[in-house]
Amino acid sequence: MSAGLSTKKLLVAFGIFASAIVGIFVLLVGLMFSFIEPTAIDDSDQDYLALQRFFRNPPTELMQSHLLDGSFFGDIEKAFAVRVTGMDTELLWQQQGVVRGDRLTAELDEAVEFIGNMLDSGYVDWFPSLDEIRRDSHYVYPINIVTRGGYPNAARLIIMRPFDDMAFFAYLEY
């Protein structure tokens, strides 16, 4: 009888210990996700500086930004809008790799859809929608596209809208 009682106590103690471990894990994961909120970027951001170099350093003004970095799985969402003073369509065509929105290649269209599905979901309301990006009024420059299984899991793009001198940078990795 004594052996049965000690086994029962041992199982109860193990159950309490396992429940405490699971509870602590759930609490930590919940806290981690509750503190991840979008932040803003500033003029010293490396991608912002690269965008200025892309446009050959004309006067630019950072208008909006969205940065969600450091999630549990290492996902990154980064987007910002820049007004580029004197954006010229002729200059865009001189940049090798720039594609008009209505002439996207299959790979570039997949990357635009990858970016658009996340940023066009409503909480980055200043970013152009998928339909807008695919028009002849927008231009896309792919900086980097990483595919896995034929579909992008990381993309870094510049989307330009010359009629109002706006450029949008997007970097997503999932």
Side-chain angles (χ1 to χ4, degrees):
M1 191 88 163
S2 169
L5 186 58
S6 64
T7 305
K8 189 176 183 181
K9 286 182 181 178
L10 185 63
L11 287 174
V12 169
F14 178 74
I16 291 171
F17 177 73
S19 297
I21 295 295
V22 169
I24 290 171
F25 177 75
V26 168
L27 179 68
L28 289 175
V29 169
L31 286 173
M32 187 176 75
F33 283 113
S34 68
F35 290 121
I36 296 177
E37 294 182 13
T39 57
I41 66 163
D42 59 19
D43 293 347
S44 65
D45 182 80
Q46 292 300 314
D47 290 318
Y48 178 72
L49 297 172
L51 184 107
Q52 285 185 318
R53 285 190 300 276
F54 174 80
F55 286 107
R56 300 184 180 139
N57 295 314
T60 59
E61 179 185 356
L62 185 60
M63 305 296 285
Q64 301 275 355
S65 68
H66 167 83
L67 175 62
L68 188 58
D69 191 10
S71 74
F72 184 71
F73 300 106
D75 300 342
I76 299 170
E77 290 178 19
K78 184 180 198 178
F80 56 86
V82 175
R83 184 168 309 280
V84 181
T85 304
M87 186 186 301
D88 184 11
T89 307
E90 293 299 319
L91 179 64
L92 293 179
W93 281 113
Q94 292 173 8
Q95 298 277 6
Q96 187 165 359
V98 172
V99 180
R100 202 168 76 184
D102 62 343
R103 296 181 181 171
L104 300 175
T105 63
E107 180 186 27
L108 192 51
D109 191 54
E110 288 285 329
V112 165
E113 187 168 331
F114 174 69
I115 295 267
N117 281 341
M118 180 49 81
L119 296 177
D120 192 19
S121 62
Y123 67 93
V124 185
D125 57 356
W126 46 264
F127 199 84
S129 69
L130 272 171
D131 291 336
E132 291 173 331
I133 296 170
R134 290 177 172 149
R135 293 181 189 158
D136 64 354
S137 60
H138 288 65
Y139 295 83
V140 179
Y141 177 73
I143 297 171
N144 186 19
I145 301 171
V146 178
T147 59
R148 188 175 292 161
Y151 191 75
N153 71 324
R156 193 180 305 240
L157 305 174
I158 298 173
I159 296 149
M160 295 150 280
R161 193 170 62 200
F163 67 84
D164 64 353
D165 292 337
M166 291 299 295
F168 303 90
F169 173 87
Y171 172 43
L172 292 178
E173 185 171 336
Y174 289 105

